[in-house]
Amino acid sequence: KVFQGVYLAQPHLYEEKEQLMRLWFHECCRVFMDRLTTMEDRDKFKGVLDATMDSVMQLRMKEIVGDDPDMIFAGIDLTNPEAEDPPYEHIH
């Protein structure tokens, strides 16, 4: 499911490592963290993601999510809701 979400992305929108990691982080949270029922488990999961990003990509979670830990990605064009095949991207 994580890769299914990443696959929805249009490559030209994710040319920088930070952009792709933001999408990966979001998908991991939606697929796995949303199923966790306690804040303790959710915090532990975020810690595992942070450690993984640090060891593999040399990026920390704070660099990716900033002050928005509940990022939203969607396939909708807010300027043109009738658009066909809108990009799957971070909604600010």
Side-chain angles (χ1 to χ4, degrees), residues 13-88:
L13 296 174
Y14 298 92
E15 293 178 349
E16 295 181 21
K17 175 172 71 170
E18 291 81 6
Q19 294 168 316
L20 185 57
M21 290 305 297
R22 187 175 296 118
L23 175 61
W24 176 82
F25 178 84
H26 165 79
E27 294 300 329
C28 287
C29 288
R30 298 297 68 86
V31 170
F32 300 111
M33 192 177 77
D34 283 356
R35 289 171 170 74
L36 301 175
T37 57
T38 67
M39 288 307 293
E40 180 182 342
D41 287 344
R42 288 172 175 241
D43 289 341
K44 187 182 238 182
F45 179 77
K46 286 180 185 177
V48 169
L49 280 182
D50 188 37
T52 301
M53 289 190 306
D54 186 32
S55 67
V56 176
M57 299 299 291
Q58 292 75 48
L59 285 172
R60 300 305 305 252
M61 187 172 72
K62 185 71 173 169
E63 296 172 77
I64 299 301
V65 301
D67 295 327
D68 185 16
D70 298 318
M71 298 176 293
I72 297 173
F73 281 73
I76 185 170
D77 184 346
L78 296 175
T79 60
N80 182 9
E82 304 297 321
E84 289 188 32
D85 197 26
Y88 186 68

